[in-house]
Amino acid sequence: MGTHSRRRFLELAGAGTAVALAGCSGTGTDAGTTPTDAETGTESTATTETDTETTTTETTTMSTVFHFSSGEEHQKHATANAKNLLDDGTTDVERVALVANGAGVKLLTTDSTVPEKVRSLAENGVAFKACANSMEAFDYSNDDLLEGVETVPAGVGELTKLQSEGYAYVKTP
């Protein structure tokens, strides 16, 4: 250890000893009591013991929105993602939505390659939302949508709203 390091070590050791001795000599409080935050210059959270123990259990429920904008080749994957989330017993999901825009809107129409999966997920509480802008671009009307699918003015607007409501965002292929 160099001279400079040794000197610094001794300074710190001396300061630590002084603090320890000051604690032994008392802080102006009665013996057996704990100094107040003002006396110690610290902030703390006080807890009180009672005869009755109270336990608070909070259950955190989550909401998830899947964003689907891919073509027909990924429709099965998109619905599998939603199903996997619902089937995951370790995740307490309260609300699940799938917003489709762009080419992804076909998932929610009679042109879907997996209409039975969409119906099954809808029966299990998944909210399906089709972008009206994309529907117009692909020449779809409300009559072309699968049962239970809601139309929203803009998919990106709906994604923004749901995220502001606390939904976790998952981009699905």
Side-chain angles (χ1 to χ4, degrees), residues 49 56 62 91 102 121 126 137 162 164:
E49 292 183 17
T56 304
M62 297 171 278
T91 306
L121 288 167
V126 176
L162 292 174
S164 75

Side-chain angles (χ1 to χ4, degrees), residues 21-97:
L21 289 173
C24 291
S25 66
T27 59
T29 61
D30 294 336
T33 63
T34 305
T36 65
D37 289 342
E39 292 171 333
T40 62
T42 61
E43 293 182 24
S44 65
T45 303
T47 56
T48 334
E49 292 183 17
T50 61
D51 293 334
T52 309
E53 189 174 313
T54 305
T55 305
T56 304
T57 305
E58 290 186 32
T59 303
T60 303
T61 56
M62 297 171 278
S63 300
T64 301
V65 59
F66 289 97
H67 176 199
F68 182 63
S69 60
S70 300
E72 295 175 18
E73 67 277 8
H74 296 291
Q75 290 182 6
K76 185 176 180 181
H77 192 165
T79 55
N81 280 342
K83 182 175 182 338
N84 289 341
L85 178 62
L86 292 177
D87 290 346
D88 182 354
T90 65
T91 306
D92 189 11
V93 180
E94 181 179 15
R95 299 173 295 179
V96 177

Side-chain angles (χ1 to χ4, degrees), residues 65 129 152-167:
V65 59
K129 299 170 185 250
V152 294
V156 292
E158 187 65 16
L159 289 166
T160 301
K161 289 175 193 171
L162 292 174
Q163 287 177 79
S164 75
E165 294 172 12
Y167 279 71

